[in-house]
Amino acid sequence: MPVELLGKSVQELRELLVSLGEPAYRGPQIYRALYTERRFDFAAMTNLPAALRARLTEEARITLPRIVRRFPSIDGSIRYLFSIGGDDGKPAQIEAVFMPKEGRQTICISTQAGCAVDCHFCLTAQLGLIRNLTPGEIVGQVLMALEENREQLAPQTNVVLMGQGEPLLNYDATMAAVRILLDPKGVALAPRHVTLSTSGIVPGIERLGQEKIRPSLAISLNASSDEQRDALMPINRKYPLACRNFPLRPREYFTMEYVLLGGVNDSPEDARRVVRLLAHLRTKVNLIPWNPGNLPYRAPTADSIEAFKTILLEKGVPAFVRYSRGQDVFAACGQLALIETVNLSSGAPIVNLP
Ligand code: SF4
């Protein structure tokens, strides 16, 4: 079986090349070709001798996520339904989103297929955990999205680990991928441009705090009290939110993600409780109005969104309203894979895909 190269660190590639009887410096050359130059065909790695390229074609492989469908939105974002696995990994479908904006693009990627964390407002939760992604499958989503949009790339790339899955429950693979993304000799993204979003897995947050090189941290708060959070995110009963000891860098903020669910957690009293909860923490809050979908929640009104934001701002808590991009193409995370799963298992479409 050819050895998989995508997802390997520079050190792993060095060791692999030495084990093949090649000079160690061929490892960094392949690393650069893969992650900086995005060359996925050995024939195109012209910095390698022809004999080595021919040998790698026989003995190694570079497996990118395969695009099942692209869903272009009228707002310019593109959702990708990828298929992964097959030869030596359980087949699964995952999602990523490419979101262009003036001067930058943001790519939202998955770290697991499905998810074991049972957040009640999330469609991915309905899939359950299918499996963890490998480092190559995680970093491959970024490389594919960049390559697909090569002609329109802006100078800055942001990556958010907010697609399917709980990144801190696939810690080692996620961090292996993040190190490649943040390595100046790899994909070369800035640490403040890569954000890991967690439902609040406390041991993972503590471990992340010890990393020398790490992404920014976003915590999915979504509630103004423990009781409310217990009801929306049962994981809260195991890990009540604790991030006071996280070693923030100078000028770094926690990002708190707060999905506003109409009539559930969007009242002025909720906003005042959030202010008290976050007192003394260096945080900014992203308010994300709920996207009406297949779950029994409703969108907040424009007035309640504005009132919530105003209360936070008046009390000195930086707050921003973030609307999900690509609402016309199933913006909710997990929606595409869920549709495909239902289609595959029932043979009947539950919605008309565009
Ligand atoms: S919101 Fe995130 S952690 Fe919660 S079920 Fe969905 S994918 Fe998992």
PDB file of all heavy atoms in Angstrom, residues 111-112 114-126 161-167 169 197-201 220 222 232-233 235 259 333-334, ligand 1:
ATOM      1  N   THR A 111     -13.331  18.867  11.648  1.00  0.00           N
ATOM      2  CA  THR A 111     -12.258  18.082  12.279  1.00  0.00           C
ATOM      3  C   THR A 111     -12.697  16.656  12.584  1.00  0.00           C
ATOM      4  O   THR A 111     -11.883  15.810  12.916  1.00  0.00           O
ATOM      5  CB  THR A 111     -11.803  18.748  13.595  1.00  0.00           C
ATOM      6  OG1 THR A 111     -12.955  18.992  14.398  1.00  0.00           O
ATOM      7  CG2 THR A 111     -11.064  20.044  13.320  1.00  0.00           C
ATOM      8  N   GLN A 112     -14.003  16.418  12.517  1.00  0.00           N
ATOM      9  CA  GLN A 112     -14.532  15.065  12.666  1.00  0.00           C
ATOM     10  C   GLN A 112     -15.648  14.899  11.638  1.00  0.00           C
ATOM     11  O   GLN A 112     -16.232  15.893  11.200  1.00  0.00           O
ATOM     12  CB  GLN A 112     -15.144  14.859  14.072  1.00  0.00           C
ATOM     13  CG  GLN A 112     -14.134  14.991  15.209  1.00  0.00           C
ATOM     14  CD  GLN A 112     -14.790  14.763  16.571  1.00  0.00           C
ATOM     15  OE1 GLN A 112     -15.771  15.404  16.912  1.00  0.00           O
ATOM     16  NE2 GLN A 112     -14.230  13.838  17.347  1.00  0.00           N
ATOM     17  N   GLY A 114     -19.281  13.978  11.517  1.00  0.00           N
ATOM     18  CA  GLY A 114     -20.291  13.907  12.562  1.00  0.00           C
ATOM     19  C   GLY A 114     -19.723  14.437  13.865  1.00  0.00           C
ATOM     20  O   GLY A 114     -18.651  15.054  13.884  1.00  0.00           O
ATOM     21  N   CYS A 115     -20.424  14.215  14.955  1.00  0.00           N
ATOM     22  CA  CYS A 115     -19.957  14.736  16.246  1.00  0.00           C
ATOM     23  C   CYS A 115     -20.691  14.009  17.372  1.00  0.00           C
ATOM     24  O   CYS A 115     -21.877  13.707  17.256  1.00  0.00           O
ATOM     25  CB  CYS A 115     -20.235  16.238  16.335  1.00  0.00           C
ATOM     26  SG  CYS A 115     -19.560  16.994  17.824  1.00  0.00           S
ATOM     27  N   ALA A 116     -19.943  13.733  18.436  1.00  0.00           N
ATOM     28  CA  ALA A 116     -20.550  13.038  19.579  1.00  0.00           C
ATOM     29  C   ALA A 116     -21.139  14.004  20.594  1.00  0.00           C
ATOM     30  O   ALA A 116     -21.838  13.592  21.515  1.00  0.00           O
ATOM     31  CB  ALA A 116     -19.498  12.165  20.257  1.00  0.00           C
ATOM     32  N   VAL A 117     -20.844  15.308  20.436  1.00  0.00           N
ATOM     33  CA  VAL A 117     -21.345  16.299  21.410  1.00  0.00           C
ATOM     34  C   VAL A 117     -22.768  16.654  20.987  1.00  0.00           C
ATOM     35  O   VAL A 117     -23.003  17.014  19.844  1.00  0.00           O
ATOM     36  CB  VAL A 117     -20.451  17.557  21.418  1.00  0.00           C
ATOM     37  CG1 VAL A 117     -20.972  18.572  22.427  1.00  0.00           C
ATOM     38  CG2 VAL A 117     -19.011  17.183  21.739  1.00  0.00           C
ATOM     39  N   ASP A 118     -23.666  16.561  21.916  1.00  0.00           N
ATOM     40  CA  ASP A 118     -25.081  16.591  21.542  1.00  0.00           C
ATOM     41  C   ASP A 118     -25.686  17.991  21.692  1.00  0.00           C
ATOM     42  O   ASP A 118     -26.655  18.165  22.431  1.00  0.00           O
ATOM     43  CB  ASP A 118     -25.791  15.568  22.460  1.00  0.00           C
ATOM     44  CG  ASP A 118     -27.235  15.380  22.083  1.00  0.00           C
ATOM     45  OD1 ASP A 118     -27.579  15.635  20.914  1.00  0.00           O
ATOM     46  OD2 ASP A 118     -28.028  15.006  22.972  1.00  0.00           O
ATOM     47  N   CYS A 119     -25.116  18.992  21.000  1.00  0.00           N
ATOM     48  CA  CYS A 119     -25.699  20.342  21.100  1.00  0.00           C
ATOM     49  C   CYS A 119     -27.071  20.312  20.408  1.00  0.00           C
ATOM     50  O   CYS A 119     -27.167  19.907  19.246  1.00  0.00           O
ATOM     51  CB  CYS A 119     -24.790  21.361  20.429  1.00  0.00           C
ATOM     52  SG  CYS A 119     -23.139  21.401  21.139  1.00  0.00           S
ATOM     53  N   HIS A 120     -28.081  20.773  21.107  1.00  0.00           N
ATOM     54  CA  HIS A 120     -29.440  20.549  20.609  1.00  0.00           C
ATOM     55  C   HIS A 120     -29.811  21.412  19.414  1.00  0.00           C
ATOM     56  O   HIS A 120     -30.772  21.133  18.729  1.00  0.00           O
ATOM     57  CB  HIS A 120     -30.444  20.754  21.749  1.00  0.00           C
ATOM     58  CG  HIS A 120     -30.358  19.666  22.784  1.00  0.00           C
ATOM     59  ND1 HIS A 120     -31.092  19.643  23.920  1.00  0.00           N
ATOM     60  CD2 HIS A 120     -29.585  18.547  22.826  1.00  0.00           C
ATOM     61  CE1 HIS A 120     -30.789  18.562  24.635  1.00  0.00           C
ATOM     62  NE2 HIS A 120     -29.865  17.896  23.982  1.00  0.00           N
ATOM     63  N   PHE A 121     -29.029  22.481  19.176  1.00  0.00           N
ATOM     64  CA  PHE A 121     -29.350  23.379  18.063  1.00  0.00           C
ATOM     65  C   PHE A 121     -28.520  23.047  16.820  1.00  0.00           C
ATOM     66  O   PHE A 121     -28.514  23.799  15.857  1.00  0.00           O
ATOM     67  CB  PHE A 121     -29.068  24.840  18.475  1.00  0.00           C
ATOM     68  CG  PHE A 121     -27.685  25.018  19.038  1.00  0.00           C
ATOM     69  CD1 PHE A 121     -26.608  25.195  18.201  1.00  0.00           C
ATOM     70  CD2 PHE A 121     -27.476  24.940  20.402  1.00  0.00           C
ATOM     71  CE1 PHE A 121     -25.337  25.306  18.711  1.00  0.00           C
ATOM     72  CE2 PHE A 121     -26.208  25.059  20.929  1.00  0.00           C
ATOM     73  CZ  PHE A 121     -25.130  25.237  20.079  1.00  0.00           C
ATOM     74  N   CYS A 122     -27.799  21.920  16.841  1.00  0.00           N
ATOM     75  CA  CYS A 122     -26.825  21.644  15.769  1.00  0.00           C
ATOM     76  C   CYS A 122     -27.217  20.399  14.983  1.00  0.00           C
ATOM     77  O   CYS A 122     -27.459  19.334  15.562  1.00  0.00           O
ATOM     78  CB  CYS A 122     -25.449  21.455  16.395  1.00  0.00           C
ATOM     79  SG  CYS A 122     -24.221  20.930  15.201  1.00  0.00           S
ATOM     80  N   LEU A 123     -27.238  20.538  13.665  1.00  0.00           N
ATOM     81  CA  LEU A 123     -27.618  19.405  12.825  1.00  0.00           C
ATOM     82  C   LEU A 123     -26.561  18.313  12.801  1.00  0.00           C
ATOM     83  O   LEU A 123     -26.868  17.140  12.644  1.00  0.00           O
ATOM     84  CB  LEU A 123     -27.898  19.900  11.402  1.00  0.00           C
ATOM     85  CG  LEU A 123     -29.258  20.574  11.225  1.00  0.00           C
ATOM     86  CD1 LEU A 123     -29.311  21.309   9.899  1.00  0.00           C
ATOM     87  CD2 LEU A 123     -30.384  19.569  11.321  1.00  0.00           C
ATOM     88  N   THR A 124     -25.292  18.719  12.956  1.00  0.00           N
ATOM     89  CA  THR A 124     -24.230  17.702  12.935  1.00  0.00           C
ATOM     90  C   THR A 124     -24.444  16.696  14.065  1.00  0.00           C
ATOM     91  O   THR A 124     -24.134  15.510  13.921  1.00  0.00           O
ATOM     92  CB  THR A 124     -22.852  18.366  13.089  1.00  0.00           C
ATOM     93  OG1 THR A 124     -22.676  19.275  12.006  1.00  0.00           O
ATOM     94  CG2 THR A 124     -21.734  17.349  13.045  1.00  0.00           C
ATOM     95  N   ALA A 125     -24.987  17.182  15.196  1.00  0.00           N
ATOM     96  CA  ALA A 125     -25.212  16.289  16.341  1.00  0.00           C
ATOM     97  C   ALA A 125     -26.098  15.111  15.936  1.00  0.00           C
ATOM     98  O   ALA A 125     -25.953  14.008  16.459  1.00  0.00           O
ATOM     99  CB  ALA A 125     -25.852  17.074  17.482  1.00  0.00           C
ATOM    100  N   GLN A 126     -26.989  15.337  14.967  1.00  0.00           N
ATOM    101  CA  GLN A 126     -27.902  14.265  14.572  1.00  0.00           C
ATOM    102  C   GLN A 126     -27.203  13.131  13.824  1.00  0.00           C
ATOM    103  O   GLN A 126     -27.743  12.046  13.687  1.00  0.00           O
ATOM    104  CB  GLN A 126     -29.031  14.834  13.713  1.00  0.00           C
ATOM    105  CG  GLN A 126     -29.835  15.866  14.496  1.00  0.00           C
ATOM    106  CD  GLN A 126     -31.139  16.236  13.825  1.00  0.00           C
ATOM    107  OE1 GLN A 126     -31.465  15.750  12.754  1.00  0.00           O
ATOM    108  NE2 GLN A 126     -31.890  17.109  14.458  1.00  0.00           N
ATOM    109  N   LEU A 161     -11.953  26.482  12.642  1.00  0.00           N
ATOM    110  CA  LEU A 161     -12.276  25.074  12.869  1.00  0.00           C
ATOM    111  C   LEU A 161     -13.639  25.043  13.539  1.00  0.00           C
ATOM    112  O   LEU A 161     -13.761  24.930  14.755  1.00  0.00           O
ATOM    113  CB  LEU A 161     -11.189  24.415  13.733  1.00  0.00           C
ATOM    114  CG  LEU A 161      -9.864  24.128  13.021  1.00  0.00           C
ATOM    115  CD1 LEU A 161      -9.072  25.408  12.792  1.00  0.00           C
ATOM    116  CD2 LEU A 161      -9.013  23.147  13.780  1.00  0.00           C
ATOM    117  N   MET A 162     -14.664  25.227  12.715  1.00  0.00           N
ATOM    118  CA  MET A 162     -16.034  25.356  13.218  1.00  0.00           C
ATOM    119  C   MET A 162     -17.003  24.511  12.402  1.00  0.00           C
ATOM    120  O   MET A 162     -18.213  24.700  12.492  1.00  0.00           O
ATOM    121  CB  MET A 162     -16.501  26.818  13.127  1.00  0.00           C
ATOM    122  CG  MET A 162     -15.810  27.753  14.063  1.00  0.00           C
ATOM    123  SD  MET A 162     -16.500  29.403  13.943  1.00  0.00           S
ATOM    124  CE  MET A 162     -15.328  30.310  14.948  1.00  0.00           C
ATOM    125  N   GLY A 163     -16.467  23.648  11.546  1.00  0.00           N
ATOM    126  CA  GLY A 163     -17.354  22.795  10.747  1.00  0.00           C
ATOM    127  C   GLY A 163     -17.812  21.613  11.586  1.00  0.00           C
ATOM    128  O   GLY A 163     -17.975  21.733  12.806  1.00  0.00           O
ATOM    129  N   GLN A 164     -17.968  20.475  10.938  1.00  0.00           N
ATOM    130  CA  GLN A 164     -18.415  19.301  11.693  1.00  0.00           C
ATOM    131  C   GLN A 164     -17.385  18.913  12.746  1.00  0.00           C
ATOM    132  O   GLN A 164     -16.182  18.888  12.468  1.00  0.00           O
ATOM    133  CB  GLN A 164     -18.568  18.113  10.751  1.00  0.00           C
ATOM    134  CG  GLN A 164     -19.812  18.120   9.921  1.00  0.00           C
ATOM    135  CD  GLN A 164     -19.882  16.861   9.053  1.00  0.00           C
ATOM    136  OE1 GLN A 164     -19.390  15.797   9.403  1.00  0.00           O
ATOM    137  NE2 GLN A 164     -20.491  17.009   7.900  1.00  0.00           N
ATOM    138  N   GLY A 165     -17.868  18.558  13.920  1.00  0.00           N
ATOM    139  CA  GLY A 165     -17.000  17.948  14.928  1.00  0.00           C
ATOM    140  C   GLY A 165     -16.541  18.887  16.018  1.00  0.00           C
ATOM    141  O   GLY A 165     -16.620  20.103  15.899  1.00  0.00           O
ATOM    142  N   GLU A 166     -16.067  18.278  17.098  1.00  0.00           N
ATOM    143  CA  GLU A 166     -15.500  19.010  18.232  1.00  0.00           C
ATOM    144  C   GLU A 166     -13.977  18.827  18.139  1.00  0.00           C
ATOM    145  O   GLU A 166     -13.445  17.750  18.411  1.00  0.00           O
ATOM    146  CB  GLU A 166     -16.066  18.442  19.540  1.00  0.00           C
ATOM    147  CG  GLU A 166     -15.323  18.822  20.801  1.00  0.00           C
ATOM    148  CD  GLU A 166     -15.064  20.315  20.970  1.00  0.00           C
ATOM    149  OE1 GLU A 166     -16.020  21.073  21.142  1.00  0.00           O
ATOM    150  OE2 GLU A 166     -13.875  20.726  20.928  1.00  0.00           O
ATOM    151  N   PRO A 167     -13.250  19.895  17.747  1.00  0.00           N
ATOM    152  CA  PRO A 167     -11.809  19.743  17.499  1.00  0.00           C
ATOM    153  C   PRO A 167     -11.035  19.192  18.688  1.00  0.00           C
ATOM    154  O   PRO A 167     -10.101  18.416  18.518  1.00  0.00           O
ATOM    155  CB  PRO A 167     -11.334  21.171  17.187  1.00  0.00           C
ATOM    156  CG  PRO A 167     -12.556  21.965  16.918  1.00  0.00           C
ATOM    157  CD  PRO A 167     -13.726  21.252  17.508  1.00  0.00           C
ATOM    158  N   LEU A 169     -11.906  17.034  20.788  1.00  0.00           N
ATOM    159  CA  LEU A 169     -12.095  15.584  20.973  1.00  0.00           C
ATOM    160  C   LEU A 169     -11.363  14.806  19.883  1.00  0.00           C
ATOM    161  O   LEU A 169     -11.458  13.583  19.815  1.00  0.00           O
ATOM    162  CB  LEU A 169     -13.583  15.228  20.999  1.00  0.00           C
ATOM    163  CG  LEU A 169     -14.343  15.735  22.233  1.00  0.00           C
ATOM    164  CD1 LEU A 169     -15.815  15.309  22.189  1.00  0.00           C
ATOM    165  CD2 LEU A 169     -13.695  15.245  23.529  1.00  0.00           C
ATOM    166  N   SER A 197     -12.751  26.500  17.457  1.00  0.00           N
ATOM    167  CA  SER A 197     -13.978  26.726  18.216  1.00  0.00           C
ATOM    168  C   SER A 197     -14.360  25.446  18.957  1.00  0.00           C
ATOM    169  O   SER A 197     -14.454  24.381  18.354  1.00  0.00           O
ATOM    170  CB  SER A 197     -15.094  27.134  17.259  1.00  0.00           C
ATOM    171  OG  SER A 197     -16.300  27.241  17.965  1.00  0.00           O
ATOM    172  N   THR A 198     -14.573  25.560  20.263  1.00  0.00           N
ATOM    173  CA  THR A 198     -14.903  24.374  21.058  1.00  0.00           C
ATOM    174  C   THR A 198     -16.215  24.573  21.807  1.00  0.00           C
ATOM    175  O   THR A 198     -16.578  25.692  22.164  1.00  0.00           O
ATOM    176  CB  THR A 198     -13.776  24.065  22.060  1.00  0.00           C
ATOM    177  OG1 THR A 198     -14.167  22.935  22.860  1.00  0.00           O
ATOM    178  CG2 THR A 198     -13.464  25.235  22.982  1.00  0.00           C
ATOM    179  N   SER A 199     -16.860  23.440  22.071  1.00  0.00           N
ATOM    180  CA  SER A 199     -18.069  23.483  22.891  1.00  0.00           C
ATOM    181  C   SER A 199     -17.699  23.618  24.367  1.00  0.00           C
ATOM    182  O   SER A 199     -18.583  23.773  25.206  1.00  0.00           O
ATOM    183  CB  SER A 199     -18.892  22.209  22.667  1.00  0.00           C
ATOM    184  OG  SER A 199     -18.097  21.070  22.978  1.00  0.00           O
ATOM    185  N   GLY A 200     -16.396  23.568  24.664  1.00  0.00           N
ATOM    186  CA  GLY A 200     -15.950  23.770  26.053  1.00  0.00           C
ATOM    187  C   GLY A 200     -15.410  22.500  26.692  1.00  0.00           C
ATOM    188  O   GLY A 200     -15.756  22.189  27.838  1.00  0.00           O
ATOM    189  N   ILE A 201     -14.574  21.759  25.955  1.00  0.00           N
ATOM    190  CA  ILE A 201     -13.978  20.528  26.497  1.00  0.00           C
ATOM    191  C   ILE A 201     -12.802  20.959  27.376  1.00  0.00           C
ATOM    192  O   ILE A 201     -11.699  21.243  26.882  1.00  0.00           O
ATOM    193  CB  ILE A 201     -13.499  19.603  25.341  1.00  0.00           C
ATOM    194  CG1 ILE A 201     -14.631  19.353  24.334  1.00  0.00           C
ATOM    195  CG2 ILE A 201     -12.918  18.296  25.876  1.00  0.00           C
ATOM    196  CD1 ILE A 201     -15.826  18.603  24.873  1.00  0.00           C
ATOM    197  N   SER A 220     -17.969  28.143  22.383  1.00  0.00           N
ATOM    198  CA  SER A 220     -19.371  28.198  22.016  1.00  0.00           C
ATOM    199  C   SER A 220     -20.179  28.321  23.310  1.00  0.00           C
ATOM    200  O   SER A 220     -20.379  27.346  24.013  1.00  0.00           O
ATOM    201  CB  SER A 220     -19.672  26.875  21.297  1.00  0.00           C
ATOM    202  OG  SER A 220     -20.726  26.994  20.458  1.00  0.00           O
ATOM    203  N   ASN A 222     -23.431  30.281  24.073  1.00  0.00           N
ATOM    204  CA  ASN A 222     -24.841  30.009  23.701  1.00  0.00           C
ATOM    205  C   ASN A 222     -25.867  30.054  24.826  1.00  0.00           C
ATOM    206  O   ASN A 222     -27.026  29.697  24.613  1.00  0.00           O
ATOM    207  CB  ASN A 222     -24.978  28.645  23.005  1.00  0.00           C
ATOM    208  CG  ASN A 222     -24.060  28.553  21.824  1.00  0.00           C
ATOM    209  OD1 ASN A 222     -23.852  29.531  21.120  1.00  0.00           O
ATOM    210  ND2 ASN A 222     -23.469  27.399  21.608  1.00  0.00           N
ATOM    211  N   LEU A 232     -29.283  23.266  26.552  1.00  0.00           N
ATOM    212  CA  LEU A 232     -28.938  23.389  25.127  1.00  0.00           C
ATOM    213  C   LEU A 232     -27.731  22.532  24.760  1.00  0.00           C
ATOM    214  O   LEU A 232     -27.635  22.018  23.640  1.00  0.00           O
ATOM    215  CB  LEU A 232     -28.595  24.849  24.790  1.00  0.00           C
ATOM    216  CG  LEU A 232     -29.755  25.840  24.753  1.00  0.00           C
ATOM    217  CD1 LEU A 232     -29.229  27.253  24.633  1.00  0.00           C
ATOM    218  CD2 LEU A 232     -30.686  25.510  23.589  1.00  0.00           C
ATOM    219  N   MET A 233     -26.793  22.427  25.692  1.00  0.00           N
ATOM    220  CA  MET A 233     -25.537  21.721  25.425  1.00  0.00           C
ATOM    221  C   MET A 233     -25.255  20.800  26.618  1.00  0.00           C
ATOM    222  O   MET A 233     -24.575  21.185  27.567  1.00  0.00           O
ATOM    223  CB  MET A 233     -24.378  22.726  25.259  1.00  0.00           C
ATOM    224  CG  MET A 233     -24.625  23.750  24.164  1.00  0.00           C
ATOM    225  SD  MET A 233     -23.335  25.022  24.127  1.00  0.00           S
ATOM    226  CE  MET A 233     -21.938  24.110  23.483  1.00  0.00           C
ATOM    227  N   ILE A 235     -23.182  18.742  27.235  1.00  0.00           N
ATOM    228  CA  ILE A 235     -21.755  18.628  27.588  1.00  0.00           C
ATOM    229  C   ILE A 235     -21.430  19.521  28.783  1.00  0.00           C
ATOM    230  O   ILE A 235     -20.481  19.278  29.529  1.00  0.00           O
ATOM    231  CB  ILE A 235     -20.871  19.001  26.363  1.00  0.00           C
ATOM    232  CG1 ILE A 235     -19.390  18.651  26.598  1.00  0.00           C
ATOM    233  CG2 ILE A 235     -20.946  20.463  25.996  1.00  0.00           C
ATOM    234  CD1 ILE A 235     -19.051  17.245  26.362  1.00  0.00           C
ATOM    235  N   VAL A 259     -25.047  31.704  19.840  1.00  0.00           N
ATOM    236  CA  VAL A 259     -26.132  31.557  18.860  1.00  0.00           C
ATOM    237  C   VAL A 259     -27.410  32.078  19.510  1.00  0.00           C
ATOM    238  O   VAL A 259     -27.818  31.590  20.567  1.00  0.00           O
ATOM    239  CB  VAL A 259     -26.296  30.076  18.436  1.00  0.00           C
ATOM    240  CG1 VAL A 259     -27.487  29.916  17.497  1.00  0.00           C
ATOM    241  CG2 VAL A 259     -25.032  29.558  17.767  1.00  0.00           C
ATOM    242  N   CYS A 333     -24.045  24.016   9.760  1.00  0.00           N
ATOM    243  CA  CYS A 333     -23.039  22.963   9.740  1.00  0.00           C
ATOM    244  C   CYS A 333     -23.711  21.606   9.912  1.00  0.00           C
ATOM    245  O   CYS A 333     -24.545  21.430  10.778  1.00  0.00           O
ATOM    246  CB  CYS A 333     -22.057  23.235  10.869  1.00  0.00           C
ATOM    247  SG  CYS A 333     -21.106  21.821  11.297  1.00  0.00           S
ATOM    248  N   GLY A 334     -23.349  20.653   9.090  1.00  0.00           N
ATOM    249  CA  GLY A 334     -23.923  19.316   9.197  1.00  0.00           C
ATOM    250  C   GLY A 334     -25.100  19.101   8.264  1.00  0.00           C
ATOM    251  O   GLY A 334     -25.511  17.976   8.018  1.00  0.00           O
TER     252      GLY A 334
HETATM  253  S1  SF4 B   1     -22.101  22.595  17.697  1.00  0.00           S
HETATM  254 FE1  SF4 B   1     -20.068  21.687  17.311  1.00  0.00          FE
HETATM  255  S2  SF4 B   1     -19.680  20.498  19.197  1.00  0.00           S
HETATM  256 FE2  SF4 B   1     -21.899  20.919  19.187  1.00  0.00          FE
HETATM  257  S3  SF4 B   1     -22.795  19.079  18.169  1.00  0.00           S
HETATM  258 FE3  SF4 B   1     -22.426  20.654  16.589  1.00  0.00          FE
HETATM  259  S4  SF4 B   1     -20.414  20.120  15.713  1.00  0.00           S
HETATM  260 FE4  SF4 B   1     -20.583  19.085  17.717  1.00  0.00          FE
END
